[in-house]
């Protein structure tokens, strides 16, 4: 956990299907609400489909960068929508970086889907942004990254393709009952992340009340 950082640069070394299978074979032990295991994975090898996914990634990425430049948390459920609209006028002006431009070239590209009929989502009816359904899918995604790390590989998860879900659905023949949850890129890392920057426990844990004292050892 302390060394599974995001890896976006990969060597040309291929990853065998057997290794991808093993990774998925470990990742499937992820927990899910009611043990429904509502995930589906599509390993994308077809170059045209990969290119299509890259093209669908870029518009969201441009928007993400523009909102970041404006100091916004992109698409935060609670945000200043006017500031967001203003920021989006600048979309496409920034430098995208090699990962986005070359997403179609990553050694392994997996699209992760969620069966909406299989998600126990107790916050579904609260009238606010819902969170708990994804909690049955993303532990599986994280397990993929941990299992890859265990085999000397690296990778990163992206949810950017969900911005273009209808087109992703058409490209991969995904039925309506499935949502696009993420895409994962995996490969042999050019370099390994060593020190991850994360907030200390005291910064996000309190005792008894939200505004209670910091929880310490
Ligand atoms: C839900 C989620 C969505 C993410 N989406 C993207 C993405 O679209 N593009 C990308 O390059 N990285 C993406 N990331 C990777 C994060 O940027 C990365 O986990 C974070 O910056 C921490 O990086 P580090 O582990 O190297 O410290 C995503 C990560 C998560 C968990």
């Amino acid at each position: 956990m302390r060394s599974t950082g995001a890896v976006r640069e990969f060597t040309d070394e291929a990853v065998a299907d057997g290794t991808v299978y093993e990774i998925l074979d470990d990742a499937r032990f992820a927990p899910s609400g009611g043990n429904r295991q509502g995930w589906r994975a599509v390993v994308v090898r077809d170059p045209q489909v990969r290119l299509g996914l890259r093209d669908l990634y870029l518009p969201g990425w441009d928007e993400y960068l523009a909102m970041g430049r404006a100091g916004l948390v992109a698409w935060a459920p609670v945000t200043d929508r006017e500031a967001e609209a203003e920021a989006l006028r600048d979309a496409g002006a920034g430098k995208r970086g090699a990962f986005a431009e070359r997403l179609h070239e990553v050694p392994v590209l997996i699209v992760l889907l969620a069966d909406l009929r299989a998600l126990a989502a107790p916050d579904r009816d609260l009238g606010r942004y819902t969170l708990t359904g994804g909690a049955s899918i993303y532990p599986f995604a994280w397990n993929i990254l941990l299992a890859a790390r265990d085999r000397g590989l690296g990778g990163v998860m992206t949810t950017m393709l969900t911005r273009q879900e209808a087109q992703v659905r058409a490209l991969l023949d995904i039925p309506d009952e499935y949502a696009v949850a993420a895409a994962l890129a995996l490969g042999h890392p050019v370099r390994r992340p060593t020190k991850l920057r994360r907030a200390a426990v005291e910064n996000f844990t309190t005792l008894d009340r939200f505004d209670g004292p910091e929880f310490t050892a």
Side-chain angles (χ1 to χ4, degrees):
M1 285 183 266
R2 286 173 184 261
S3 60
T4 309
V7 172
R8 300 183 184 84
E9 264 187 277
F10 308 104
T11 69
D12 291 336
E13 195 178 341
V15 179
D17 280 353
T19 305
V20 176
Y21 184 94
E22 280 179 19
I23 288 168
L24 294 167
D25 195 30
D26 282 348
R28 71 192 167 95
F29 288 93
S32 58
N35 198 21
R36 293 282 170 196
Q37 303 163 58
W39 48 76
R40 282 283 297 233
V42 181
V43 179
V44 183
R45 264 204 302 233
D46 183 320
Q48 284 312 313
V49 178
R50 276 171 163 251
L51 209 50
L53 289 175
R54 192 284 307 264
D55 289 347
L56 293 172
Y57 181 90
L58 291 178
W61 187 239
D62 286 342
E63 291 182 1
Y64 174 84
L65 293 176
M67 287 188 268
R69 284 195 297 277
L72 298 169
V73 176
W75 306 294
V78 176
T79 193
D80 179 343
R81 295 275 183 154
E82 276 178 30
E84 203 172 89
E86 177 64 31
L88 287 175
R89 283 195 203 117
D90 186 35
K95 207 167 170 289
R96 285 166 169 162
F99 176 73
E101 299 274 9
R102 299 175 62 186
L103 182 68
H104 55 298
E105 294 174 6
V106 299
V108 180
L109 186 58
I110 301 172
V111 175
L112 184 60
L113 311 174
D115 184 343
L116 297 173
R117 298 161 301 187
L119 302 182
D123 67 350
R124 187 194 58 191
D125 305 320
L126 294 185
R128 62 148 170 77
Y129 175 79
T130 68
L131 203 58
T132 52
S136 283
I137 298 296
Y138 294 114
F140 174 72
W142 178 233
N143 268 7
I144 291 176
L145 294 172
L146 287 175
R149 166 81 182 88
D150 199 41
R151 288 164 176 81
L153 302 175
V156 67
M157 160 179 358
T158 166
T159 48
M160 209 59 66
L161 285 169
T162 63
R163 292 294 295 168
Q164 318 289 340
E165 187 179 72
Q167 290 96 316
V168 175
R169 199 174 263 155
L171 192 63
L172 300 181
D173 294 334
I174 299 166
D176 288 346
E177 295 79 14
Y178 289 82
V180 176
L184 291 112
L186 304 176
H188 292 273
V190 168
R191 74 191 79 79
R192 271 222 162 278
T194 45
K195 232 167 171 233
L196 305 188
R197 287 185 306 127
R198 301 289 190 269
V201 173
E202 294 80 356
N203 291 359
F204 57 82
T205 315
T206 52
L207 202 56
D208 290 332
R209 298 279 187 280
F210 183 85
D211 58 356
E214 287 175 358
F215 180 79
T216 65

